[in-house]
Amino acid sequence: MNLEGKTYVIMGVANKRSIAWGAARALDKMGAKLVFTILNERFRKELDKLLKDLEGDHDIVVECNVASDEEVERAFTEIKEKTGGIDGVLHAIAFANKDELQGGYSETSREGFHTALDISAYSLAIVAKHAKGILNEGGSLVTMTYLGGERAMPNYNVMGVAKAALESSVRYLALDLGAQGFRVNAVSAGPIRTLSSSAVGEFKSILKEIEERAPLKRNVDQLEVGNSVAFLLSDLASGITGEILHVDSGANITA
């Protein structure tokens, strides 16, 4: 797939294990121009090291704290000034306090619930609000979810509820933006060792379970997921919107 001449915004690269980084690698290999957002300057040094491994020259890095409406608006104004327009956005941002992923869901604090839903779900809506103004014709938004948004899973708790809200947001945003020709989809990735997954209890046992029961008898990696993100962002998926694409070796289909 050739994506030369296309520009995509990547939100959520924390380190080389990030699913967002897998998507960046995939899009880079296909010739796309990439714009990266970071939470703050603390993440710039790590990103600068990663960018050296890409084939293209991706020099636009913009700070964006999705917990602030003003920050999101400012970030996309800056992106518009520096690019003139974009073809899509990967929203790979989620957060819940580690304590909220332990014990039972009934112990979830009000503050913890608010934080998880705000950063992990509402942020897609505010990003879409400001991204749609600079999307080129046929533009696409893709976000990242997990099976815990569809089924109750141990040690996922409020993040599962946040992912459920995120998946519902995908459908409502697809309806909202569809009239403008913009698409909104999500990729539900299988468990991968990332900074976020390190907070999930008994994560190693989840990886082992996938190897035992998934049809492909293995786990997926960041680049496999990234290739699927690239597909949904590209014109090859021009007729797909409001969908949740599972990239998990088929684990979601098994009982």
Side-chain angles (χ1 to χ4, degrees):
M1 183 164 58
N2 188 332
L3 293 177
E4 291 183 13
K6 299 289 188 179
T7 301
Y8 299 103
V9 177
I10 307 294
M11 309 181 75
V13 174
N15 54 40
K16 67 180 181 180
R17 291 181 179 270
S18 300
I19 291 177
W21 182 242
R25 289 168 56 204
L27 291 164
D28 172 68
K29 288 183 178 181
M30 297 171 191
K33 174 71 175 177
L34 304 179
V35 175
F36 292 88
T37 71
I38 54 175
L39 176 60
N40 52 44
E41 279 295 321
R42 186 168 62 88
F43 291 89
R44 187 178 292 270
K45 186 176 181 180
E46 179 67 21
L47 180 60
D48 285 343
K49 290 191 297 183
L50 293 174
L51 292 180
K52 295 177 182 178
D53 294 331
L54 298 183
E55 297 175 10
D57 182 18
H58 312 292
D59 56 354
I60 302 177
V61 179
V62 177
E63 289 189 40
C64 182
N65 179 0
V66 296
S68 164
D69 291 1
E70 294 75 18
E71 274 285 296
V72 177
E73 181 178 11
R74 181 203 55 76
F76 278 91
T77 297
E78 183 177 344
I79 291 170
K80 180 180 181 180
E81 292 172 350
K82 293 182 175 180
T83 65
I86 60 175
D87 297 286
V89 178
L90 169 62
H91 169 278
I93 298 172
F95 177 79
N97 293 317
K98 188 174 182 179
D99 292 346
E100 305 291 350
L101 304 183
Q102 301 172 357
Y105 176 64
S106 62
E107 300 301 318
T108 302
S109 69
R110 187 179 298 274
E111 180 182 0
F113 184 92
H114 178 270
T115 297
L117 271 288
D118 183 21
I119 303 302
S120 308
Y122 176 72
S123 62
L124 178 63
I126 191 67
V127 164
K129 176 180 179 179
H130 295 290
K132 68 182 181 182
I134 66 172
L135 279 175
N136 296 326
E137 183 178 353
S140 174
L141 303 179
V142 175
T143 190
M144 299 304 308
T145 187
Y146 178 58
L147 191 61
E150 300 174 48
R151 305 177 188 178
M153 305 182 73
N155 305 307
Y156 208 53
N157 293 350
V158 71
M159 184 55 78
V161 175
K163 290 298 187 183
L166 179 69
E167 292 178 15
S168 186
S169 294
V170 165
R171 292 184 283 271
Y172 278 96
L173 286 170
L175 179 62
D176 179 13
L177 304 186
Q180 298 170 252
F182 302 143
R183 298 177 294 107
V184 185
N185 293 288
V187 171
S188 182
I192 296 177
R193 293 181 185 275
T194 65
L195 183 63
S196 297
S197 67
S198 64
V200 179
E202 300 181 22
F203 187 72
K204 290 182 179 179
S205 65
I206 298 174
L207 293 173
K208 184 179 179 181
E209 183 180 350
I210 297 297
E211 292 178 350
E212 293 175 350
R213 71 179 180 85
L216 293 182
K217 304 301 181 186
R218 64 175 179 82
N219 285 283
V220 295
D221 61 30
Q222 285 89 340
L223 188 55
E224 284 182 300
V225 177
N227 284 331
S228 298
V229 169
F231 162 69
L232 287 176
L233 285 172
S234 78
D235 293 339
L236 289 179
S238 60
I240 302 174
T241 194
E243 292 291 335
I244 312 298
L245 175 63
H246 294 85
V247 184
D248 60 0
S249 294
N252 73 94
I253 70 169
T254 61

